[in-house]
Amino acid sequence: MAIYHLDITRDHCPMTFVKIKIELSKLQEDDELEVLLCEGEPLENVPRTAREQGYRVVDIQMVGDAVFKVIIKKQTNE
């Protein structure tokens, strides 16, 4: 299992979506992507998009002033 990190706290849509899609495409089964993002639209859209793409949102944590960490995992084929 590998853990990847992506900071999109300074990015805005549609760049957040583009960067997330690129990083998710790199994941192998059981890998995790930790995404730092701001509250609001990114916090609403990133978890929803990940789930729609078949990934599991493991956790969402507040890590700073209006900054969150979303942990996304690529599911194993069961």
Side-chain angles (χ1 to χ4, degrees):
M1 176 182 93
I3 299 175
Y4 297 88
H5 304 274
L6 178 63
D7 183 346
I8 58 169
T9 55
R10 297 174 189 243
D11 297 316
H12 303 284
C13 287
M15 285 310 299
T16 55
F17 179 74
V18 171
K19 288 183 176 183
I20 291 290
K21 292 262 305 175
I22 290 170
E23 290 303 311
L24 288 176
S25 72
K26 295 177 185 178
L27 298 183
Q28 300 297 315
E29 291 184 16
D30 292 324
D31 287 351
E32 290 183 353
L33 175 62
E34 295 184 354
V35 183
L36 290 179
L37 47 78
C38 294
E39 66 183 356
E41 189 175 359
L43 183 58
E44 295 170 15
N45 292 338
V46 168
R48 184 185 73 238
T49 299
R51 289 182 187 109
E52 288 172 355
Q53 298 288 320
Y55 297 89
R56 183 166 64 101
V57 177
V58 176
D59 196 16
I60 300 174
Q61 308 168 1
M62 181 176 238
V63 295
D65 186 26
V67 176
F68 290 80
K69 177 168 65 174
V70 177
I71 302 173
I72 302 168
K73 184 172 185 173
K74 184 164 184 179
Q75 300 283 21
T76 56
N77 292 329
E78 299 177 292

